[in-house]
Every structure is written in C-alpha cells, then in structure tokens.
Amino acid sequence: YAGIAMYRAKETGRNNFQFYTSSMNERAMERLRLEGDLRNAVERGEFVLHYQPQVSVDNNQVVGVEALIRWQHPTLGLVSPARFIQIAEEMGLIVPIGAWVMRTACRQSMAWQREGYGEVRVAVNLSARQFYQQDLATTIFDILQETGLPPHLLELELTESMMMADVEHAALLLRKLKTLGVQLSIDDFGTGYSSLAYLKRFPIDLLKIDQSFVRDITVDPDDAAIVTSIISLAHSLRLDVIAEGVETEAQLAYLRRHGCDYMQGYYFSRPVPAPEVAHMLTQRKERAPALPAVSGRTV
Ligand code: C2E
Ligand code: MG
Ligand code: MG
Ligand code: MG
C-alpha cells in the first residue's frame, strides 16, 4: 500500500508541477506576445475609447462620461485594460498611450458640444507613470489648446495610492494641474490609505467611491457605513461624490437616500462607444424625466 500511495503522490505531484509550469509558460507567452504587439498598437491605431456615463442621482441626467480604453487587437479581439495597462506601464508605453487617450477624449467632448449636445465633462484615468511624468502639465495644456476643450470639462482621475506614495509630489503636481483649470478626482476612493488630513491639502473636486463598497451596500452594514461616511466626509470638505459600480435599483435608492451626488455603473449604462453616448445625450437634451432604457451592451 505504502508503495502505491507514494507512487500516486509522486504522480499527482508531477502532474501538478507540469500543470503549474505550463500555465506559467502560457502566461509568460501571452505577456511576451502582448509586449511585442503593444509596441506597434499606438501607430496602428488599435486603441479605442469607450465612455461610461456619469449620472446625477437626483434626476438621472448625464453630467459627464469616463473614458475607458480598450485595445482592438487584430487576433485577440477587444482586450480589456486590466490585461494590458500594467504591461504598458512597465514598458513606459503608458505615456504615449495616455496622451492619446487624453487627446481623443478631449476631441470627443468637443465633438459632442459641436453637435449640439451641450457640455459633456470627460474623465480620464492617469497612471502612476504619468503621475511622475515631468511634462504632464505641459502635455495636458497642449492638448487643451489643440482641441479647444474648455479646461473645466476635463477631469483627471488619480488614485489614492498614487497620491499617498509621494504626498509632497502629489501636492505640488495637483496644484500645478489645478492652475490649468481642470477638475481633479480621486478614483477607487476607500481602497488606499489616505490620511484624512491630506485630503484637505489636495485641491480635489470629486471623490469616486470604489465599487467594492457599493456592491454589497444594501446587505453589508459595514459597507453601507463606509459609503455613508465617505459621502458625509466628501460633503463636509465641499467635494462632490460619485459612486462607482452601481448595478441595481436598490443600490441607487440607498445612494439617493444618503445624498450621493452622482453614480456610474451598469445600472445606467456599461461603457459604450461614442455614438451610443450621443444617444443618451439626446435624451438629456429632451430632458427625459425617466431613466432612459439602456439595454446591456457588450464591452
Ligand atoms: P476604473 O477607472 O476604476 O474604472 C471603472 C471600471 O469599472 C471600468 O472597468 C468599468 O467598466 C467598470 N465598471 C463600471 N461600472 C461597473 C458596474 O456597474 N459593475 C462592474 N462590475 N464594473 C463596472 P474597465 O473599463 O475594465 O477598466 C478597468 C481599469 O483600467 C480602470 O478602473 C482604470 O484603472 C484602468 N483604465 C481604463 N482606461 C484607462 C486609461 O485610459 N488609462 C489608464 N491609465 N488606466 C485606464
Ligand atoms: Mg470621475
Ligand atoms: Mg477611473
Ligand atoms: Mg475606479
């Protein structure tokens, strides 16, 4: 018996080992491939932006959108940012990609304005590498000049962890960015380790409550408490607050009851290509009182 058991253990062990190495190899292979392809993706124009509406909790009006990048890969199809942003970051490619995102988002907002949809604020995510980019403010200034977008319609999303990693740098950079006239928000708020004392030192306009707290807001009293605390904290610092990842009517009702200003999530709309946003803005123009019926979109 002992012999058989040992044999089996070895066999299982070996299989595990093979399984382990082959999945490691697959990951390494995928990574190598994405790295190679990423280098050319910018020139080949393979990136696209989808836009997710940000909606006023009071009246369901679209106030702005968040620009979210996707990579239209020639053979892999639409690749989500979770799969390539980190790689682009490590390769230093996030700087040109980030500038492309900013330029494209600003142009799009201008296009909506020209087409008669009014002012549409557009939020763009900044990566850690951009946060330390020497000429970030100049780049943004140039893009605003080039596209003609009024600065207050551009919102830059920084994460809490980026800001806390170097508080002095953050304070200087944010002040510099603020002089451009743009809006600043803290993304994924609540997941990092902000010291509340720092919050008031930063010229922030908006807090975005991370979706991990919103998910169980109606069933988990701790999450509910965290969300209501963030809302009152934001308001006492005279910041607006937006809840991310709102998927249900019940979550929305809770947020409305507790005075959250804006929401963003699948309940209203997934991130969608620009023409589909125009659709929702049309309803805004017509001042549709009811929530527009937006069917599920593929991302
Ligand atoms: P984020 O900035 O926190 O963006 C919100 C993410 O949550 C998006 O995922 C969005 O599609 C997703 N989401 C929105 N509503 C819901 C909902 O109701 N339920 C659920 N489960 N998810 C929802 P996405 O587009 O895959 O982006 C993931 C992350 O990739 C972003 O998180 C952001 O950190 C990063 N990212 C996206 N675009 C860019 C970009 O242009 N530049 C940089 N540096 N990062 C980007
Ligand atoms: Mg925002
Ligand atoms: Mg974001
Ligand atoms: Mg977020």
Side-chain angles (χ1 to χ4, degrees):
Y1 284 114
I4 292 170
M6 221 155 85
Y7 173 74
R8 284 207 174 130
K10 263 165 90 179
E11 191 176 54
T12 332
R14 196 186 60 205
N15 284 342
N16 281 346
F17 181 68
Q18 276 175 348
F19 177 70
Y20 181 68
T21 51
S22 80
S23 75
M24 289 274 290
N25 279 337
E26 263 165 47
R27 291 191 51 171
M29 295 290 285
E30 180 190 91
R31 162 122 195 174
L32 274 176
R33 171 169 186 196
L34 291 183
E35 279 185 13
D37 294 350
L38 261 179
R39 284 186 211 284
N40 307 309
V42 183
E43 302 98 272
R44 290 190 186 146
E46 291 175 353
F47 296 111
V48 288
L49 292 185
H50 284 185
Y51 299 90
Q52 187 174 37
Q54 301 180 330
V55 177
S56 168
V57 163
D58 289 336
N59 56 15
N60 293 329
Q61 297 287 300
V62 178
V63 293
V65 294
E66 178 175 4
L68 294 155
I69 195 170
R70 278 92 183 86
W71 178 11
Q72 185 64 65
H73 188 281
T75 55
L76 298 175
L78 211 54
V79 182
S80 82
R83 269 174 83 189
F84 69 88
I85 286 289
Q86 183 59 33
I87 302 176
E89 175 105 31
E90 286 162 25
M91 293 174 73
L93 283 175
I94 197 68
V95 169
I97 293 173
W100 177 86
V101 168
M102 189 114 34
R103 186 173 298 112
T104 307
C106 291
R107 274 193 195 136
Q108 185 58 63
S109 175
M110 276 310 279
W112 282 320
Q113 203 167 317
R114 267 197 302 270
E115 290 159 19
Y117 296 108
E119 296 196 329
V120 183
R121 185 181 70 201
V122 65
V124 167
N125 292 281
L126 288 185
S127 79
R129 182 77 79 118
Q130 289 171 290
F131 181 74
Y132 291 107
Q133 184 189 335
Q134 281 298 321
D135 59 351
L136 178 67
T138 320
T139 303
I140 295 170
F141 178 80
D142 290 346
I143 290 172
L144 289 168
Q145 292 285 303
E146 175 198 321
T147 59
L149 187 75
H152 72 277
L153 294 181
L154 177 63
E155 178 188 325
L156 304 173
E157 295 191 1
L158 299 107
T159 66
E160 208 178 357
S161 36
M162 268 156 64
M163 295 174 36
M164 292 306 142
D166 188 342
V167 175
E168 292 310 314
H169 174 73
L172 274 168
L173 176 68
L174 296 195
R175 251 177 278 146
K176 201 161 154 191
L177 293 175
K178 209 51 211 165
T179 62
L180 298 175
V182 299
Q183 304 279 305
L184 300 175
S185 62
I186 307 187
D187 202 357
D188 305 338
F189 188 77
T191 59
Y193 300 90
S194 303
S195 149
L196 296 184
Y198 284 124
L199 263 186
K200 72 164 200 195
R201 278 187 48 192
F202 295 136
I204 291 293
D205 303 287
L206 198 69
L207 290 188
K208 300 191 70 176
I209 306 175
D210 189 68
Q211 57 189 52
S212 61
F213 303 115
V214 176
R215 191 176 307 128
D216 296 328
I217 201 179
T218 57
V219 288
D220 184 333
D222 294 337
D223 286 338
I226 290 170
V227 168
T228 47
S229 311
I230 295 177
I231 294 170
S232 45
L233 168 72
H235 286 163
S236 52
L237 294 172
R238 290 172 304 280
L239 307 176
D240 281 339
V241 60
I242 174 164
E244 291 193 274
V246 178
E247 295 186 355
T248 68
E249 172 76 52
Q251 290 165 339
L252 173 60
Y254 183 94
L255 293 163
R256 187 178 282 135
R257 239 186 357 263
H258 290 87
C260 185
D261 304 291
Y262 307 108
M263 62 143 166
Q264 182 181 341
Y266 296 170
Y267 177 69
F268 187 82
S269 170
R270 287 176 178 262
V272 291
E276 295 185 41
V277 175
H279 234 75
M280 296 177 230
L281 295 172
T282 307
Q283 291 168 349
R284 173 173 84 162
K285 257 191 349 190
E286 290 159 4
R287 295 180 188 282
L291 191 70
V294 178
S295 55
R297 312 286 182 189
T298 45
V299 181

